[in-house]
Amino acid sequence: MIQPTQSLPSRAGTSSSVLSRLRVLMVATGFVVVQWLIVVGLLGVRITVPTGPGAVEREPLLLGPVFFASLIAGFSAWGLLTLLERLSSRGLRIWTGISIAVFVLTLPFMPGFSLGERLFLLVEHGGMFAIIVLGMRRTRARP
């Protein structure tokens, strides 16, 4: 009589997890875009950012870069979480710590930002951080 040795791990929840995580990224990106549309588009607040790292010159913060930067940040967070979940049983905890560090280090601490710009960017970063971290934690793979 032939006995099965070991069953392969089930991939049943994989597509569900991918869709859930994709929804998290879309909500986070949507939050950032809607906030920009309200503050800059509707209220007419002028938000400027340095033209490059260490630059003194400033340029208006446009919707395109806001949209693409949020997508890049979201997909990077997702990719790192996926990698850490595969490499460590504590991957989610490690990823959360890294996410907190990235959030703090990307806040507008540099001189030249007005109070309004700092508040706007704090809400943008904070909202995206909260949506991604809390959302990704809810979609983690269950053993």
Side-chain angles (χ1 to χ4, degrees), residues 15 24 27 36-37 43 47-50 81 96 105 124:
S15 65
V24 168
V27 168
W36 186 95
L37 288 171
L43 299 177
I47 305 294
T48 62
V49 293
L81 176 58
T96 302
L105 293 173
E124 289 262 308

Side-chain angles (χ1 to χ4, degrees), residues 1-136:
M1 180 172 183
I2 299 176
Q3 303 242 340
T5 53
Q6 202 175 22
S7 64
L8 294 174
S10 170
R11 309 277 283 165
T14 303
S15 65
S16 173
S17 176
V18 168
L19 289 176
S20 294
R21 288 183 174 182
L22 189 56
R23 275 193 295 272
V24 168
L25 294 187
M26 294 304 107
V27 168
T29 300
F31 168 81
V32 170
V33 167
V34 167
Q35 182 189 344
W36 186 95
L37 288 171
I38 291 170
V39 172
V40 177
L42 190 62
L43 299 177
V45 176
R46 186 168 189 264
I47 305 294
T48 62
V49 293
T51 56
V56 176
E57 301 84 30
R58 301 181 69 77
E59 63 187 4
L61 181 61
L62 302 175
L63 182 58
V66 167
F67 174 75
F68 287 112
S70 66
L71 282 179
I72 290 168
F75 279 111
S76 297
W78 184 359
L80 179 60
L81 176 58
T82 302
L83 178 67
L84 290 171
E85 284 177 332
R86 290 180 185 201
L87 295 177
S88 171
S89 62
R90 299 180 62 216
L92 182 63
R93 194 172 298 155
I94 295 167
W95 176 83
T96 302
I98 292 170
S99 297
I100 291 168
V102 168
F103 168 69
V104 170
L105 293 173
T106 59
L107 289 174
F109 293 120
M110 299 177 296
F113 284 98
S114 71
L115 178 61
E117 290 170 336
R118 288 177 196 270
L119 289 174
F120 173 83
L121 293 170
L122 177 64
V123 173
E124 289 262 308
H125 280 76
M128 185 154 185
F129 167 78
I131 292 167
I132 289 178
V133 170
L134 296 175
M136 291 295 182

